[in-house]
Amino acid sequence: MLWLILLVLLCLLAAALLLFALALTVRTGIETYGANGAVSVELRYGPLRIPLWPPPKAQSREQAAEGAPPERKARKKAKPRRKYRFDRAALDIGELLELALRLLDELAGTLRISRLRVRVVIGTDNAAKTGILLGQSAALTGMIVPFLENTFEMKDYRVDVDADFNAAHTEWAFSAFCSMRPVRLLFLLLRHAKELFGLYKKLIKKEEAITHE
């Protein structure tokens, strides 16, 4: 009887591993939109659409208190929560671009870019600075776009970079959809886990939220 139970358990384990392996081979996509600081990211896995960013808003303390039992409202204390911020001062565009191009190069043959549309209108409070940024952006575009064309399957793409010398700030918008098989991404993340975690610690800072009782 014991051997029968072990056999059933082994069959269930093998079936679970097989389903997991099959799940990693299903092409999974990331769809993202952005405009002037607002960015949304959505994961698409077959018919499933899972929002990744922005994160769902936490329930406010007032709403939580209204739903709590009356006898526990007075005793409940607010707990400090951690919040995260993006440290722009620590951002090294050259380092980030070099890592991104290296990762993309390793994904050649598996990553499919179905849509990539980027529109940037550079504007600053200084015309000379605007001109310099326009030249740098045009040079980067001239390197990145041919690299993407020669490395990946691209169906719908357009990248426009311009400047408005009368504008005080830069306007930008983008839309992108790319897909790949998760198993390749898993191997890539494991191979570069140390680099990616170091970049995360460098750019994402934790702060203690201030709470008032």
Side-chain angles (χ1 to χ4, degrees):
M1 189 65 180
L2 180 60
W3 66 267
L4 182 58
I5 295 176
L6 291 176
L7 180 62
V8 171
L9 291 176
L10 287 175
C11 290
L12 291 175
L13 179 61
L17 291 175
L18 179 60
L19 289 175
F20 180 71
L22 291 175
L24 289 178
T25 61
V26 175
R27 186 166 286 274
T28 304
I30 293 288
E31 187 163 20
T32 177
Y33 298 91
N36 300 325
V39 177
S40 65
V41 182
E42 185 178 72
L43 174 68
R44 294 174 61 178
Y45 183 82
L48 299 178
R49 303 173 72 95
I50 306 171
L52 300 179
W53 188 267
K57 294 182 179 179
Q59 189 180 26
S60 67
R61 292 189 178 87
E62 292 77 10
Q63 291 174 331
E66 289 176 1
E71 64 276 10
R72 297 183 60 185
K73 287 183 182 179
R75 293 183 298 172
K76 190 174 182 180
K77 294 182 179 180
K79 294 182 179 180
R81 295 178 301 167
R82 288 190 178 274
K83 62 180 181 179
Y84 300 84
R85 67 178 177 85
F86 181 75
D87 188 4
R88 293 184 177 86
L91 179 63
D92 185 335
I93 297 296
E95 177 187 358
L96 187 62
L97 182 61
E98 188 273 335
L99 176 60
L101 291 177
R102 188 147 42 91
L103 295 177
L104 289 174
D105 185 55
E106 294 185 26
L107 288 175
T110 187
L111 181 66
R112 179 187 301 162
I113 302 176
S114 302
R115 182 179 69 255
L116 176 63
R117 299 173 190 165
V118 181
R119 173 65 175 165
V120 180
V121 180
I122 299 173
T124 66
D125 54 1
N126 185 289
K129 183 178 179 181
T130 300
I132 293 173
L133 289 175
L134 176 61
Q136 293 175 341
S137 300
L140 285 174
T141 302
M143 292 188 296
I144 294 174
V145 174
F147 169 80
L148 295 176
E149 290 174 333
N150 296 328
T151 307
F152 305 109
E153 177 185 350
M154 299 184 66
K155 296 182 178 181
D156 177 14
Y157 62 98
R158 182 182 180 89
V159 179
D160 294 320
V161 179
D162 204 346
D164 184 350
F165 291 91
N166 296 318
H169 59 276
T170 298
E171 300 280 343
W172 57 269
F174 73 90
S175 169
F177 177 72
C178 59
S179 61
M180 63 176 299
R181 302 192 188 282
V183 64
R184 289 293 302 272
L185 179 61
L186 179 62
F187 289 145
L188 181 69
L189 293 178
L190 291 175
R191 192 159 52 242
H192 296 277
K194 186 176 180 180
E195 290 177 87
L196 294 171
F197 185 66
L199 183 64
Y200 172 82
K201 289 199 303 182
K202 183 179 179 181
L203 298 179
I204 306 300
K205 302 298 183 183
K206 294 181 181 180
E207 295 180 326
E208 287 288 353
I210 299 175
T211 59
H212 300 279
E213 295 185 6

